[in-house]
Amino acid sequence: LAKTTQPISMDSYEGQEVNITCSHNNIATNDYITWYQQFPSQGPRFIIQGYKTKVTNEVASLFIPADRKSSTLSLPRVSLSDTAVYYCLVGVDSGYSTLTFGKGTMLLVSP
Amino acid sequence: DAGVTQSPTHLIKTRGQQVTLRCSPKSGHDTVSWYQQALGQGPQFIFQYYEEEERQRGNFPDRFSGHQFPNYSSELNVNALLLGDSALYLCASTRSPEGGYTFGSGTRLTVV
């Protein structure tokens, strides 16, 4: 399984753009990169998934360089409600797969 | 939208007791996985059920067992509870083989 490394914590202010980078040097050819968000006492929630280049949805953007050894989750104009733990996962996305979580990045957004 | 439903939301048990947690998967999903999340840690995979069989298992002792019913709902049983079993227990469902997981809000288990 590809191991991921991401910062333990990050601080930001409302309205700023936040970029969280995840390293996954041993990513396999068939692996996707998926980010989840988790609020206290709730289950993780899917944010975005990508394989290569750039993916954008209504919540975030995901940037993946050509070598796929890292990825960056970009949250535009964060608000207080974006304070949460963000997890970067790498693996095959199928019903047979299991999810391997690290400790994630605790993002604290201040007024 | 019928998401993943877990019950109960909170539970307090005494060491040595047994506990059963329940999960109803999202509508259309047939695969259920259970995760344990200790305070300050990421969720850790316990096991996965598909077609009423345990398909995969993580590094958890046999005190942790489960079951899946014909309607795809699932139970997690933990015997001989230890203080270290205190955690948030998460249920996640998906549809095989497509994938794409949805998590429930979890059951907070406290062992005293």
Side-chain angles (χ1 to χ4, degrees):
Chain A
L1 294 172
K3 181 180 177 179
T4 60
T5 303
Q6 48 183 128
I8 295 295
S9 64
M10 294 183 68
D11 295 322
S12 183
Y13 293 97
E14 283 189 292
Q16 289 189 332
E17 178 184 74
V18 171
N19 296 309
I20 306 175
T21 297
C22 178
S23 297
H24 28 81
N25 291 318
N26 297 323
I27 189 169
T29 303
N30 294 333
D31 287 344
Y32 281 76
I33 300 156
T34 309
W35 286 79
Y36 284 83
Q37 175 193 56
Q38 187 178 26
F39 299 113
S41 296
Q42 292 189 26
R45 182 177 74 101
F46 172 90
I47 300 175
I48 196 166
Q49 183 182 75
Y51 183 79
K52 62 179 179 180
T53 64
K54 176 184 175 182
V55 179
T56 298
N57 61 21
E58 65 278 5
V59 176
S61 294
L62 179 59
F63 298 91
I64 305 170
D67 66 6
R68 303 201 327 123
K69 293 183 183 298
S70 67
S71 59
T72 299
L73 174 71
S74 181
L75 304 172
R77 299 178 298 283
V78 293
S79 64
L80 297 178
S81 63
D82 292 317
T83 293
V85 178
Y86 292 83
Y87 295 97
C88 164
L89 281 71
V90 173
V92 175
D93 184 18
S94 80
Y96 305 106
S97 62
T98 63
L99 302 178
T100 301
F101 290 82
K103 292 188 176 182
T105 297
M106 175 65 219
L107 172 64
L108 176 62
V109 181
S110 301
Chain B
D1 177 13
V4 178
T5 304
Q6 293 187 242
S7 64
T9 55
H10 296 83
L11 202 53
I12 300 175
K13 289 287 189 178
T14 304
R15 277 179 298 176
Q17 285 189 316
Q18 177 265 344
V19 68
T20 298
L21 311 182
R22 295 175 176 81
C23 172
S24 292
K26 181 178 178 177
S27 178
H29 286 183
D30 57 10
T31 304
V32 173
S33 298
W34 287 90
Y35 290 79
Q36 180 196 65
Q37 185 173 25
L39 203 61
Q41 304 295 315
Q44 300 299 305
F45 173 71
I46 302 175
F47 42 56
Q48 182 186 80
Y49 275 84
Y50 174 70
E51 292 188 340
E52 303 178 51
E53 297 285 336
E54 182 183 290
R55 181 159 70 179
Q56 296 188 72
R57 188 178 183 92
N59 188 26
F60 278 80
D62 292 344
R63 297 187 298 109
F64 290 78
S65 63
H67 188 77
Q68 186 180 35
F69 299 94
N71 66 353
Y72 308 119
S73 67
S74 177
E75 289 182 348
L76 164 65
N77 300 292
V78 186
N79 295 321
L81 284 167
L82 304 173
L83 295 179
D85 295 330
S86 295
L88 180 66
Y89 288 85
L90 296 162
C91 172
S93 71
T94 187
R95 180 167 182 82
S96 295
E98 292 89 344
Y101 280 91
T102 300
F103 281 82
S105 294
T107 294
R108 171 70 63 186
L109 172 65
T110 302
V111 182
V112 297

Short mmCIF file of all heavy atoms in Angstrom, two decimals, chain B residues 11-15 17-20 81 109-112:
data_model
loop_
_atom_site.label_atom_id
_atom_site.label_comp_id
_atom_site.label_asym_id
_atom_site.label_seq_id
_atom_site.Cartn_x
_atom_site.Cartn_y
_atom_site.Cartn_z
N LEU B 11 -22.37 5.16 23.54
CA LEU B 11 -22.52 3.96 24.35
C LEU B 11 -21.43 3.93 25.41
O LEU B 11 -20.27 4.22 25.12
CB LEU B 11 -22.39 2.73 23.44
CG LEU B 11 -22.97 1.39 23.82
CD1 LEU B 11 -24.43 1.52 24.18
CD2 LEU B 11 -22.78 0.42 22.67
N ILE B 12 -21.81 3.60 26.62
CA ILE B 12 -20.83 3.41 27.70
C ILE B 12 -20.93 1.99 28.21
O ILE B 12 -22.02 1.54 28.56
CB ILE B 12 -21.07 4.41 28.86
CG1 ILE B 12 -20.94 5.84 28.35
CG2 ILE B 12 -20.07 4.16 29.99
CD1 ILE B 12 -21.28 6.89 29.40
N LYS B 13 -19.81 1.29 28.23
CA LYS B 13 -19.77 -0.10 28.68
C LYS B 13 -18.65 -0.26 29.71
O LYS B 13 -17.72 0.55 29.79
CB LYS B 13 -19.50 -1.04 27.50
CG LYS B 13 -20.67 -1.17 26.53
CD LYS B 13 -21.78 -1.98 27.14
CE LYS B 13 -22.86 -2.33 26.15
NZ LYS B 13 -23.91 -3.17 26.75
N THR B 14 -18.75 -1.35 30.45
CA THR B 14 -17.75 -1.68 31.46
C THR B 14 -16.78 -2.71 30.90
O THR B 14 -17.17 -3.54 30.06
CB THR B 14 -18.44 -2.23 32.71
OG1 THR B 14 -19.41 -1.28 33.17
CG2 THR B 14 -17.43 -2.51 33.82
N ARG B 15 -15.55 -2.64 31.35
CA ARG B 15 -14.55 -3.63 30.94
C ARG B 15 -15.09 -5.04 31.10
O ARG B 15 -15.70 -5.37 32.11
CB ARG B 15 -13.28 -3.49 31.77
CG ARG B 15 -12.33 -2.43 31.31
CD ARG B 15 -11.14 -2.36 32.22
NE ARG B 15 -11.51 -2.00 33.59
CZ ARG B 15 -10.66 -1.95 34.59
NH1 ARG B 15 -9.40 -2.25 34.41
NH2 ARG B 15 -11.06 -1.61 35.80
N GLN B 17 -17.38 -6.43 29.33
CA GLN B 17 -18.69 -6.60 28.71
C GLN B 17 -18.58 -6.80 27.21
O GLN B 17 -17.49 -6.71 26.62
CB GLN B 17 -19.57 -5.38 29.01
CG GLN B 17 -20.11 -5.35 30.42
CD GLN B 17 -21.14 -4.24 30.60
OE1 GLN B 17 -20.96 -3.11 30.14
NE2 GLN B 17 -22.23 -4.57 31.29
N GLN B 18 -19.72 -7.05 26.60
CA GLN B 18 -19.80 -7.23 25.16
C GLN B 18 -20.68 -6.13 24.59
O GLN B 18 -21.57 -5.61 25.29
CB GLN B 18 -20.40 -8.61 24.86
CG GLN B 18 -20.61 -8.92 23.39
CD GLN B 18 -22.01 -8.61 22.90
OE1 GLN B 18 -22.94 -8.43 23.68
NE2 GLN B 18 -22.18 -8.51 21.59
N VAL B 19 -20.41 -5.74 23.34
CA VAL B 19 -21.20 -4.67 22.73
C VAL B 19 -21.52 -5.02 21.28
O VAL B 19 -20.74 -5.72 20.61
CB VAL B 19 -20.43 -3.32 22.80
CG1 VAL B 19 -19.20 -3.34 21.92
CG2 VAL B 19 -21.35 -2.17 22.44
N THR B 20 -22.66 -4.56 20.84
CA THR B 20 -23.08 -4.73 19.44
C THR B 20 -23.43 -3.38 18.86
O THR B 20 -24.26 -2.66 19.42
CB THR B 20 -24.29 -5.67 19.31
OG1 THR B 20 -23.93 -6.97 19.80
CG2 THR B 20 -24.73 -5.78 17.86
N LEU B 81 -14.59 -6.43 26.42
CA LEU B 81 -14.14 -5.07 26.17
C LEU B 81 -12.96 -4.66 27.05
O LEU B 81 -12.90 -4.98 28.25
CB LEU B 81 -15.30 -4.10 26.39
CG LEU B 81 -16.34 -4.06 25.29
CD1 LEU B 81 -17.59 -3.33 25.75
CD2 LEU B 81 -15.77 -3.43 24.02
N LEU B 109 -17.97 4.78 21.45
CA LEU B 109 -17.96 3.78 22.51
C LEU B 109 -16.95 4.19 23.59
O LEU B 109 -15.78 4.46 23.29
CB LEU B 109 -17.57 2.40 21.95
CG LEU B 109 -17.33 1.30 22.98
CD1 LEU B 109 -18.63 0.98 23.73
CD2 LEU B 109 -16.76 0.05 22.32
N THR B 110 -17.42 4.24 24.81
CA THR B 110 -16.55 4.51 25.95
C THR B 110 -16.56 3.30 26.86
O THR B 110 -17.64 2.85 27.29
CB THR B 110 -17.02 5.74 26.73
OG1 THR B 110 -17.05 6.87 25.85
CG2 THR B 110 -16.08 6.04 27.89
N VAL B 111 -15.38 2.77 27.15
CA VAL B 111 -15.26 1.62 28.05
C VAL B 111 -14.65 2.11 29.37
O VAL B 111 -13.58 2.73 29.38
CB VAL B 111 -14.38 0.52 27.43
CG1 VAL B 111 -14.31 -0.68 28.37
CG2 VAL B 111 -14.91 0.11 26.07
N VAL B 112 -15.36 1.84 30.45
CA VAL B 112 -14.90 2.33 31.76
C VAL B 112 -14.58 1.15 32.70
O VAL B 112 -14.99 0.03 32.43
CB VAL B 112 -15.95 3.26 32.40
CG1 VAL B 112 -16.14 4.48 31.54
CG2 VAL B 112 -17.28 2.51 32.62
#
